[in-house]
Amino acid sequence: MKKIEKEKIKIRPIIGTVIYIVFYICVSINILFLLNSSILKKENLEIAGISFFRMQNDLMQNEINKNDLVIIKKAKDSELQIGNIIAYEVNGNVRINKIINKKETYTTKSNKNYYPDFEKISSKQIIGKKIASIRYLGILLEILKSQITSWFILVFFILKFSYNKYMYKIKKCYNF
């Protein structure tokens, strides 16, 4: 019985540390989103030429499913080929489709559509090409960049600061 209690005591600090690490990762991502959206006026998170998106629909099903996290890397014109999946901006919206024709402009098409998209995409509109997609992690991305998450983090820091200040006063009063 004592052995189990000792193991529980050893596990508690580890669990607390893991929770703090996950929390600080969330805080860091949220701060990056705030900086990107307020200073750079971008809706997507971009770090060192790598952008992260949540697939909003199932138009690219079989390659990228709805709610997948899509990782996009900046690419030059010479790196883009027919068959690459790219992210690009059209009328202020980001789309993710496959290149089916490349001349002066790009023609794209989603897997679910029979016909190509009617917009011709210039190289200036292209954000980059897909390097990976991770199943269902796009939902986490949306949660991390939401305003509710930002408020939760702010409240948590205020409460944590208040608690630490309270504990400091108690320790000082009792000379621990």
Side-chain angles (χ1 to χ4, degrees):
M1 190 69 163
K2 289 183 180 181
K3 186 176 183 181
I4 293 173
E5 289 177 17
K6 285 182 181 179
E7 288 178 10
K8 283 183 183 179
I9 292 170
K10 288 180 183 179
I11 290 175
R12 283 184 188 157
I14 294 171
I15 292 172
T17 303
V18 168
I19 289 171
Y20 274 113
I21 289 170
V22 168
F23 181 77
Y24 287 117
I25 289 171
C26 292
V27 167
S28 301
I29 291 172
N30 194 268
I31 289 169
L32 286 171
F33 270 119
L34 288 173
L35 291 174
N36 261 353
S37 61
S38 61
I39 295 172
L40 302 175
K41 304 293 184 203
K42 292 184 176 183
E43 286 191 31
N44 59 305
L45 175 62
E46 183 179 326
I47 303 169
I50 308 267
S51 299
F52 302 88
F53 297 95
R54 176 181 147 237
M55 190 66 181
Q56 302 280 342
N57 53 46
D58 62 350
L59 292 175
M60 289 300 295
Q61 197 169 18
N62 298 334
E63 292 182 72
I64 305 171
N65 297 303
K66 185 175 182 178
N67 294 322
D68 285 0
L69 173 69
V70 183
I71 304 169
I72 302 289
K73 180 183 176 194
K74 280 189 178 181
K76 298 176 186 172
D77 264 352
S78 59
E79 298 172 351
L80 298 175
Q81 301 173 0
I82 293 174
N84 287 147
I85 296 174
I86 59 170
Y88 58 93
E89 289 187 40
V90 174
N91 300 325
N93 297 320
V94 174
R95 293 190 182 169
I96 299 174
N97 283 329
K98 188 182 290 186
I99 298 173
I100 60 167
N101 193 358
K102 178 182 174 183
K103 292 184 181 172
E104 294 89 40
T105 59
Y106 294 88
T107 305
T108 61
K109 178 182 157 320
S110 65
N111 288 348
K112 280 212 166 179
N113 291 341
Y114 184 75
Y115 296 104
D117 298 331
F118 61 89
E119 299 101 357
K120 300 297 180 193
I121 310 302
S122 71
S123 58
K124 293 177 183 176
Q125 293 173 277
I126 296 175
I127 298 168
K129 71 177 185 176
K130 176 191 133 191
I131 56 173
S133 62
I134 305 170
R135 195 91 167 117
Y136 298 119
L137 269 183
I139 296 169
L140 179 63
L141 186 71
E142 287 298 311
I143 291 169
L144 289 175
K145 73 179 194 178
S146 73
Q147 286 184 342
I148 294 170
T149 305
S150 299
W151 282 107
F152 173 75
I153 289 169
L154 180 65
V155 168
F156 177 82
F157 275 129
I158 290 169
L159 292 173
K160 181 72 174 152
F161 177 76
S162 300
Y163 175 76
N164 286 346
K165 191 174 180 181
Y166 171 75
M167 292 304 291
Y168 176 76
K169 284 181 180 179
I170 288 176
K171 287 180 182 178
K172 194 174 181 181
C173 287
Y174 293 108
N175 294 323
F176 282 117

